[in-house]
Amino acid sequence: MPDALFNDLGWGWFLGQEDEETWEYFVPELLAISKAEQETYSQAADTLYQMYIEATQHVLSKRLWEDLGIPRNMEEMIYQTWNDDRHIHLFSRFDFAGGLEGQPIKLIEFNADTATVLPEAAIIQRAQLKFNGISESLQFNQIYQNLVNQLTRLRVSNPDLYPTLLVTTMGHPEDEANGNVIGDAAKDAGFEVEYELLEDVIFSEEEGIFVEEDDGSYTQYNFWYKLVPWEFIAFEEPELMDILTKIVRNRQAVIVNPAYTLLFQSKAMMRYLWDLHPNHPLLLKTTAQKPSRFASTPYVEKVIFGREGENITIYNQSGKILDVTDGDFGRYPSIFQEFVELPKDSNGNYYQPGIYYVDGACGLGIRRCDSLIVDEDAEFVGHYIG
Amino acid sequence: MTPFRYFSKFPSIKRSLTKGVLVCTVAGGLGLYTACSGGSTEYVSETKLEPTQGLVTTVEEVRKDAFKIADETIVDKKEDSRIIAQYLDGEVDTFTLDQVKLMEKNGSPRMSGMSGILMGGAMGYLMGKSMSKPLNSSAYKNNAAFNKSTGSTQKMAQTAKKTTTRRPARAKSNFGSRSSTRSFGG
């Protein structure tokens, strides 16, 4: 696709123009996947989502959720949103290893609270097909339409609230681009939509969520989409956590994604999935204990609330470090997971498929990188079914 | 002195304040101007409602250049709003809100006598009329049409965007401002 098209779409920053390097985030080729591979991915995501629901029920009924690293100040809101169907899980992404060329699919992690890479997966890879004269039906990509449908469900399920949605990020341009996709889908779903940085949003424990307008008046928003992780709010801004708990309790706003998605998001949940479904073909062995358990297999140490490939260490079978990343999340506890290598091409590039889940599996986004750990330097590879 | 204070949110009725004995009552329905008096201070505040839903309004030409609203039905989106005009000569025209506004500005024989009637109905709320103003029953063809629109107006108020001229109580902001700018996606 020509650069001009990206600029027209307002996504010129994808091209890395600020750097002198001709860095290309979008790999200028498309990966072919088969219809059978698409269906296998789809079934894997649908199966895992049900397993997450069961495991969450297990964790909550046994009140094990503190083992997931979730602070006490989230307890009320997690129970409240879990027990009230009006708090709809909007969207998420399963990150897998395998699924290509006959390799088995294995769950690496579940981005349930703040999944991103949405503009790339939902919109740009579709535009790539269009630009190359390939039918848009030849892609596993109903992400945008499912978002519109799910947001419509959210609106209709909450008829007592004004359908006004505030989209909030903490200002990173990539996050804003992701928030814009949600905003566009929400408009198509019948919401009035506005955007505001977290620091400028006004929270009133008595009255709800507001934005101050230029004329000095205050507009109330009854739905809040936050590309701000729940664990950030709970740990870094506990006062905000308390205010939001009251706002949700009093039905002054519905927050997307709901608080219970932090249970899904916690990598420690994969340990319970393994406990409840030992040796399940979609799972990698995961424990909270130290690596001696893995005996002769390589394994990965991950922090439970890490993101973008940060704070990950890969060990070989004798416990020597194969690869390691540092990052901002080292303060969280770790889990240990059996290591599985990602599919690799002849140039040494690894491919990591992500399946978007919006009321069902609905799209594929593939990232590519030249290291064992997929991080923020990973590229995006579009695909077509062929 | 705080110029504006507001003690109730639509459509709740009563709130007692801790400072002194001060009770403020807000009329129900769409009367959104509130005035409270406590001690020697008079507080006034305004809440505006802006519809988020749309309407399809059917108007009938009852005699030359005189129209009445025969039906108003809510639609999900404002941009799907339409005005269907049924003329005495049997013709039917369908206009969008933008077309109506444009024709109103430029003057159009197809619109003659229609805009005043539209403003008297619920469609008026989409054309800039305050939602605190009631419907005009004489804009309607009959009681059934008027009663239906009265119900629709209440539904539109429930889903309207709400703006107040007063800072929300115990408002806090500036959360997250200490953190560095990084992506919080995954």
Side-chain angles (χ1 to χ4, degrees):
Chain A
M1 292 211 313
D3 290 2
L5 195 52
F6 282 94
N7 287 322
D8 285 352
L9 292 167
W11 288 324
W13 60 272
F14 270 128
L15 303 168
Q17 288 155 329
E18 287 171 14
D19 303 329
E20 289 298 305
E21 302 162 33
T22 53
W23 171 72
E24 280 191 326
Y25 174 65
F26 281 92
V27 176
E29 52 196 55
L30 294 169
L31 189 73
I33 70 157
S34 70
K35 189 79 190 158
E37 285 168 337
Q38 173 195 332
E39 278 163 13
T40 314
Y41 279 132
S42 197
Q43 284 163 9
D46 289 341
T47 302
L48 283 163
Y49 198 85
Q50 286 310 313
M51 287 162 66
Y52 264 94
I53 290 174
E54 285 165 31
T56 300
Q57 199 62 60
H58 170 79
V59 162
L60 288 177
S61 60
K62 296 218 170 342
R63 304 187 76 85
L64 297 169
W65 54 276
E66 278 185 1
D67 293 354
L68 300 176
I70 291 166
R72 284 217 81 91
N73 62 353
M74 284 200 73
E75 180 176 352
E76 178 186 334
M77 216 207 283
I78 284 175
Y79 279 111
Q80 178 162 3
T81 56
W82 180 256
N83 292 322
D84 183 344
D85 288 345
R86 293 174 295 185
H87 293 276
I88 287 168
H89 188 189
L90 179 59
F91 79 109
S92 53
R93 192 189 69 238
F94 288 99
D95 284 347
F96 289 140
L100 301 170
E101 295 173 341
Q103 292 180 359
I105 295 175
K106 297 288 181 186
L107 174 67
I108 301 177
E109 63 181 60
F110 186 25
N111 292 288
D113 175 19
T114 55
T116 51
V117 202
L118 256 188
E120 299 92 316
I123 293 161
I124 294 177
Q125 68 170 345
R126 169 157 287 195
Q128 284 178 313
L129 286 199
K130 209 169 177 178
F131 185 76
N132 289 290
I134 304 171
S135 163
E136 289 172 52
S137 65
L138 293 177
Q139 192 168 73
F140 181 22
N141 187 2
Q142 285 79 51
I143 302 169
Y144 187 83
Q145 192 50 51
N146 278 33
L147 284 171
V148 173
N149 295 346
Q150 190 73 330
L151 282 158
T152 304
R153 223 182 106 208
L154 178 72
R155 177 171 61 73
V156 172
S157 304
N158 291 279
D160 56 324
L161 301 180
Y162 311 101
T164 51
L165 176 80
L166 183 64
V167 173
T168 294
T169 73
M170 290 170 76
H172 192 280
E174 193 180 322
D175 292 357
E176 288 185 345
N178 277 274
N180 289 343
V181 175
I182 299 297
D184 287 348
K187 283 178 202 160
D188 287 345
F191 282 90
E192 293 264 324
V193 178
E194 201 50 70
Y195 305 84
E196 192 69 90
L197 287 175
L198 178 62
E199 62 188 71
D200 294 327
V201 179
I202 296 164
F203 298 93
S204 158
E205 64 175 48
E206 289 181 17
E207 297 183 57
I209 298 172
F210 291 81
V211 168
E212 185 172 4
E213 307 291 345
D214 291 341
D215 65 2
S217 66
Y218 299 87
T219 300
Q220 184 177 11
Y221 290 87
N222 275 174
F223 295 84
W224 189 40
Y225 171 72
K226 44 130 216 96
L227 217 171
V228 179
W230 276 116
E231 79 272 13
F232 175 88
I233 297 171
F235 285 109
E236 309 294 327
E237 297 288 1
E239 186 186 6
L240 176 58
M241 188 71 228
D242 290 345
I243 296 171
L244 292 175
T245 303
K246 289 176 184 138
I247 286 173
V248 169
R249 186 198 298 151
N250 298 330
R251 275 196 74 70
Q252 281 148 340
V254 164
I255 303 175
V256 178
N257 280 312
Y260 63 79
T261 60
L262 187 58
L263 295 176
F264 296 175
Q265 174 98 20
S266 168
K267 293 179 183 43
M269 193 63 134
M270 292 190 286
R271 171 197 151 192
Y272 289 104
L273 292 182
W274 182 261
D275 285 350
L276 292 169
H277 305 273
N279 301 308
H280 191 285
L282 294 171
L283 299 177
L284 294 164
K285 182 175 180 177
T286 305
T287 68
Q289 285 80 33
K290 292 289 172 190
S292 58
R293 283 249 195 137
F294 288 87
S296 57
T297 49
Y299 62 92
V300 187
E301 178 178 358
K302 303 174 179 182
V303 290
I304 59 171
F305 295 127
R307 49 188 72 240
E308 297 193 314
E310 293 181 20
N311 303 99
I312 288 176
T313 309
I314 302 178
Y315 301 89
N316 72 5
Q317 55 270 40
S318 38
K320 278 182 73 175
I321 291 174
L322 289 178
D323 203 351
V324 62
T325 57
D326 60 6
D328 294 342
F329 308 105
R331 65 188 174 282
Y332 296 117
S334 293
I335 50 126
F336 301 89
Q337 189 175 57
E338 180 189 344
F339 171 73
V340 61
E341 196 172 284
L342 296 167
K344 190 177 176 182
D345 67 17
S346 53
N347 296 323
N349 291 310
Y350 294 97
Y351 291 78
Q352 192 265 302
I355 301 297
Y356 285 83
Y357 189 96
V358 189
D359 192 29
C362 64
L364 167 68
I366 301 162
R367 282 187 286 183
R368 181 173 99 169
C369 68
D370 55 9
S371 62
L372 287 171
I373 298 169
V374 179
D375 58 19
E376 62 168 357
D377 295 330
E379 303 157 317
F380 186 88
V381 194
H383 76 275
Y384 70 100
I385 314 264
Chain B
M1 185 192 115
T2 313
F4 291 113
R5 288 181 68 183
Y6 180 78
F7 297 119
S8 181
K9 61 183 189 295
F10 177 79
S12 69
I13 303 300
K14 247 184 187 179
R15 177 173 296 170
S16 304
L17 296 186
T18 46
K19 276 186 189 172
V21 184
L22 175 59
V23 175
C24 164
T25 307
V26 179
L30 295 168
L32 294 166
Y33 287 86
T34 55
C36 311
S37 60
S40 57
T41 320
E42 178 98 352
Y43 304 117
V44 180
S45 167
E46 182 192 348
T47 296
K48 270 194 309 198
L49 294 178
E50 186 191 325
T52 61
Q53 293 172 306
L55 280 173
V56 173
T57 293
T58 305
V59 291
E60 277 179 30
E61 194 177 21
V62 290
R63 53 179 195 282
K64 178 74 182 144
D65 290 341
F67 292 86
K68 294 280 183 185
I69 297 167
D71 182 69
E72 285 182 307
T73 300
I74 291 180
V75 290
D76 252 8
K77 294 176 193 167
K78 245 195 310 202
E79 61 264 31
D80 293 336
S81 293
R82 295 288 182 276
I83 291 97
I84 300 168
Q86 300 173 341
Y87 298 94
L88 279 177
D89 59 12
E91 292 229 1
V92 177
D93 272 346
T94 302
F95 307 109
T96 65
L97 263 180
D98 287 342
Q99 286 169 333
V100 167
K101 282 175 191 159
L102 200 67
M103 287 190 294
E104 212 177 33
K105 200 172 138 203
N106 300 334
S108 157
R110 303 299 279 168
M111 276 289 294
S112 175
M114 200 193 297
S115 63
I117 291 298
L118 290 171
M119 282 303 278
M123 185 56 87
Y125 301 133
L126 300 177
M127 296 166 70
K129 181 172 68 170
S130 164
M131 288 200 82
S132 63
K133 296 224 166 68
L135 297 175
N136 180 356
S137 61
S138 67
Y140 289 86
K141 190 184 164 193
N142 51 39
N143 275 342
F146 173 68
N147 291 340
K148 181 179 174 187
S149 287
T150 304
S152 299
T153 301
Q154 279 163 6
K155 281 188 198 133
M156 284 168 80
Q158 271 169 21
T159 60
K161 182 171 168 183
K162 184 183 158 195
T163 309
T164 80
T165 52
R166 157 217 60 109
R167 190 170 171 81
R170 302 185 72 180
K172 294 262 168 73
S173 60
N174 222 25
F175 291 108
S177 57
R178 287 165 294 143
S179 90
S180 63
T181 303
R182 60 157 294 146
S183 169
F184 284 91

